[in-house]
Amino acid sequence: MKDTYLFLLFSFFLYKHQPLLDFQYTKHNLIIIKIKLLSYEKSGHFFAVSAGFQSCALTMTMGYRDEDEDEDWKPEREWEREGEREERGGEEEEDERSGRGEERFLLQDAKRVVKTEAGDVRVITSVGGRIVDRPMHIGFVSMEPKSLFIPQYIDSNLILFVRRGEARVGCIYKDDLVEKTLKVGDVFRIPAGSAFYLVNTGEGQKLHIICSIDPSESLGLRAFQSFFIGGGSYPTSILAGFGHETLSNAFNVSSDEVEDILNRQQDGPIVYISDSHAPSMWSKFLQLKEQERLQHLKRMVEFQQEPQEQEQKTWSWRKLLNSVFGAEDRKDTRATRRSPDAYNIYKRRPDFKNNYGWSVALDGSDYKPLKHSGIGVYLVNLTAGSMMAPHVNPTATEYGVVLRGSGRIQIVYPNGSSALDAKVKEGDVFWVPRYFAFCQIASRTGPFEFFGFTTSARKNRPQFLVGASSLLRTLPNPELAASFGVSEDRIRNFTDAQSEAVILPTAAAAPPDKTDKYEKKIAAKFEKLPNMVRNFGNDMIMGFD
């Protein structure tokens, strides 16, 4: 009787609230009911409301989730839905799948974070998701000749790579100023929180730098956060946040001078420092005599100290700013030669090289500053039509930038379906998740060169799936043959057909075999002879029309 009463009561509830209910029928007489509350002191959803009818017995379970939580669950649900689509593999159209791959694995949304007459900075942010073991942003710095990226520090580690031009970089290393000249191919690390500046010293040549931006130590406010030391109305110096009276006392100057100094710069984070661009505040500094520049900068950055303290310790900020303008004795920079130098990747002997290309990889054992950042660097050059054999990186995610030429990038999902098969050209950025199989193929029109970063500073040992040094050659034949469902002889012939390793030829890249050349030459000579019969010992060669 009690069960019947509960059943009737529940039926009446369904009848009265039918417009608010969403019925989903499942197996075994189970009804899943979702109820949307139209009036509740806090808007939300009841979810997972289920009723099971088995011999007139009624079971009912309910739960509540705040509407705000939906947003937090969306990424996970999206990945689950995406995973379901990937598991179905092949059910959707190839062009749609390719489009999703390009959107995910080709990083195309470059945002300009700095733009001035003297240069700009663009940043491509890393994608999110569960398969990203460590986010990394890629930055592109472009500076006109005789320009300066003004002193600042940021909340992320930087690895600089000079693509074109020549630069002078200064940064603080163990409370001393480090100044280095960077040339094409140089790699240099700037730690998070270390003040630095960049000067384009090239004569009549733009400076192009590619850098990794590691947000592992960032504040999380954006891709990275700059804290400008120099500046005025644009950009604003961090000094401007202090009261004028505070700064006046700290610098031991008048409030008027503080106000004048902190409001004169209007040209942006990248400024010209040549005489031909006199409106720049930094150019006006250079027009001062050397001692006047030095005294002016001292007043900007020196806090009030006792005379003895000033003799014992030289403040790092003064060293930094004085270095920009060449006003201080170079004994400070000479004393910093113990600091890490830049590493030129183009001067390194290739880790692998054959007729079809070469590759170089830098890790923490090759360049110690990389160990502190936990980031590796690589450079690959493929001849026209050749390919980097399908392989897997079991230790790191890879981020790549095409430096020259064009080609294709192919990436494979764990379920064996295609994640990406796209053409790439100079300037394109791609990434490959850890453990995902992939390959790069050069176009037939010319060499294909790409540079990039990995999320590990350990020795990179890629596992190649094809070629003379591949996993398929290493694995025992009986087990391998059984896994493919073929005979041992057949699998052996299949895996041994490729004699090259790592970088492989294709039909467009492979040089013709010498034997083939000789045979073609002989055949051409015979084609010119009239049809005839010749006797070569016991052999007879005959020609027919």
Side-chain angles (χ1 to χ4, degrees):
M1 183 68 182
K2 182 179 179 181
D3 291 340
T4 305
Y5 174 76
L6 288 174
F7 177 76
L8 293 174
L9 181 62
F10 186 68
S11 300
F12 177 74
F13 171 79
L14 297 183
Y15 172 75
K16 295 290 290 184
H17 297 86
Q18 185 174 357
L20 307 180
L21 305 179
D22 178 19
F23 293 85
Q24 297 178 10
Y25 296 90
T26 62
K27 295 179 180 179
H28 310 295
N29 300 321
L30 181 66
I31 307 175
I32 304 297
I33 307 166
K34 296 182 179 179
I35 307 174
K36 171 67 176 181
L37 291 186
L38 298 181
S39 60
Y40 194 78
E41 59 183 81
K42 185 174 181 182
S43 179
H45 293 82
F46 275 100
F47 71 100
V49 181
S50 62
F53 298 96
Q54 196 80 24
S55 301
C56 293
L58 174 65
T59 304
M60 188 169 180
T61 60
M62 302 181 70
Y64 177 79
R65 180 173 73 244
D66 187 353
E67 220 171 32
D68 294 338
E69 295 179 13
D70 283 352
E71 296 301 321
D72 298 332
W73 291 22
K74 276 184 181 178
E76 184 174 353
R77 291 202 302 266
E78 188 63 33
W79 273 106
E80 289 172 356
R81 286 195 293 269
E82 188 65 37
E84 291 172 1
R85 288 194 293 265
E86 291 162 8
E87 290 297 332
R88 291 197 299 269
E91 291 184 9
E92 301 186 30
E93 294 296 328
E94 181 67 28
D95 56 345
E96 293 181 2
R97 188 173 60 210
S98 176
R100 289 199 307 275
E102 288 188 21
E103 182 178 335
R104 177 177 296 178
F105 298 106
L106 292 185
L107 304 178
Q108 301 171 318
D109 186 17
K111 295 182 179 179
R112 183 174 278 107
V113 296
V114 172
K115 174 62 176 176
T116 72
E117 292 182 0
D120 63 49
V121 178
R122 294 179 297 114
V123 174
I124 295 179
T125 56
S126 173
V127 299
R130 290 174 292 178
I131 62 174
V132 181
D133 64 335
R134 181 178 171 184
M136 183 187 298
H137 312 314
I138 306 297
F140 298 87
V141 181
S142 178
M143 296 172 59
E144 296 291 335
K146 299 297 181 183
S147 62
L148 164 73
F149 203 171
I150 69 174
Q152 63 184 289
Y153 62 92
I154 71 171
D155 63 349
S156 302
N157 294 303
L158 298 179
I159 304 293
L160 307 182
F161 169 73
V162 181
R163 175 67 181 113
R164 292 191 184 94
E166 186 173 311
R168 178 158 52 92
V169 60
C171 67
I172 300 300
Y173 177 77
K174 294 183 178 180
D175 290 329
D176 280 326
L177 176 68
V178 175
E179 252 198 345
K180 302 293 181 183
T181 297
L182 304 182
K183 298 184 178 181
V184 174
D186 276 347
V187 175
F188 188 76
R189 175 179 180 261
I190 300 177
S194 178
F196 73 96
Y197 63 86
L198 274 172
V199 180
N200 181 358
T201 57
E203 293 292 337
Q205 185 177 14
K206 278 189 174 184
L207 174 66
H208 293 280
I209 290 179
I210 301 171
C211 62
S212 68
I213 304 172
D214 174 19
S216 60
E217 298 184 42
S218 72
L219 298 173
L221 300 176
R222 56 191 69 186
F224 69 94
Q225 179 63 55
S226 294
F227 299 80
F228 291 102
I229 300 168
S233 59
Y234 175 59
T236 302
S237 168
I238 55 174
L239 295 174
F242 297 100
H244 284 185
E245 184 178 352
T246 302
L247 294 178
S248 176
N249 292 329
F251 287 122
N252 194 24
V253 297
S254 67
S255 295
D256 291 340
E257 187 164 6
V258 169
E259 186 174 358
D260 182 57
I261 287 292
L262 295 181
N263 288 284
R264 298 187 68 178
Q265 159 69 333
Q266 304 176 31
D267 298 328
I270 303 178
V271 298
Y272 285 107
I273 56 173
S274 62
D275 294 338
S276 60
H277 296 83
S280 170
M281 170 186 169
W282 304 99
S283 299
K284 293 177 182 179
F285 269 114
L286 293 180
Q287 293 171 6
L288 298 174
K289 293 181 180 179
E290 182 174 319
Q291 289 302 317
E292 292 176 344
R293 293 203 308 265
L294 178 58
Q295 293 303 319
H296 202 74
L297 290 171
K298 281 183 178 180
R299 289 197 299 270
M300 281 183 63
V301 297
E302 281 187 336
F303 285 95
Q304 184 70 24
Q305 293 177 332
E306 294 296 330
Q308 287 184 339
E309 293 177 352
Q310 290 182 356
E311 291 177 2
Q312 293 174 358
K313 183 177 180 180
T314 306
W315 196 41
S316 297
W317 300 128
R318 178 167 62 82
K319 293 179 183 181
L320 177 70
L321 292 176
N322 287 339
S323 173
V324 176
F325 303 105
E328 192 175 55
D329 192 333
R330 291 299 176 182
K331 66 182 179 182
D332 289 322
T333 55
R334 287 197 299 269
T336 62
R337 289 178 182 173
R338 298 186 304 274
S339 64
D341 290 320
Y343 192 108
N344 194 286
I345 195 170
Y346 284 118
K347 293 182 180 179
R348 177 184 170 90
R349 184 177 180 180
D351 299 302
F352 178 85
K353 184 177 181 180
N354 63 12
N355 292 331
Y356 310 105
W358 51 265
S359 66
V360 173
L362 291 183
D363 55 49
S365 63
D366 303 311
Y367 185 44
K368 191 174 180 180
L370 294 179
K371 183 182 295 185
H372 299 302
S373 292
I375 291 176
V377 174
Y378 68 90
L379 177 67
V380 176
N381 185 292
L382 304 178
T383 62
S386 61
M387 74 161 66
M388 177 70 76
H391 61 287
V392 175
N393 190 337
T395 61
T397 294
E398 294 189 16
Y399 294 81
V401 181
V402 180
L403 301 182
R404 183 163 59 111
S406 61
R408 299 189 72 86
I409 306 294
Q410 294 184 355
I411 304 174
V412 179
Y413 281 124
N415 66 359
S417 63
S418 175
L420 175 71
D421 184 2
K423 295 180 180 179
V424 292
K425 60 185 183 306
E426 183 174 338
D428 285 345
V429 180
F430 60 91
W431 75 287
V432 184
R434 183 180 181 183
Y435 305 122
F436 278 41
F438 67 104
C439 72
Q440 299 98 340
I441 308 168
S443 68
R444 301 182 182 185
T445 58
F448 182 37
E449 183 174 284
F450 49 95
F451 164 89
F453 306 95
T454 65
T455 57
S456 172
R458 292 180 294 169
K459 196 74 176 177
N460 185 27
R461 301 185 184 279
Q463 303 295 307
F464 286 91
L465 305 174
V466 181
S469 60
S470 68
L471 287 174
L472 272 66
R473 290 278 190 96
T474 306
L475 292 172
N477 271 334
E479 287 79 0
L480 190 63
S483 68
F484 281 102
V486 297
S487 67
E488 291 187 40
D489 289 339
R490 186 174 181 186
I491 198 66
R492 185 181 298 109
N493 292 334
F494 180 74
T495 58
D496 291 353
Q498 178 58 262
S499 59
E500 297 289 344
V502 182
I503 301 178
L504 311 178
T506 64
D513 187 79
K514 293 181 179 179
T515 305
D516 293 340
K517 277 187 176 180
Y518 178 76
E519 291 177 353
K520 288 179 181 179
K521 187 175 181 181
I522 297 298
K525 287 184 178 180
F526 272 95
E527 286 176 1
K528 295 179 180 179
L529 296 176
N531 293 330
M532 61 190 332
V533 177
R534 288 189 178 183
N535 189 348
F536 293 92
N538 294 327
D539 296 325
M540 186 72 71
I541 298 180
M542 303 184 67
F544 299 91
D545 289 331

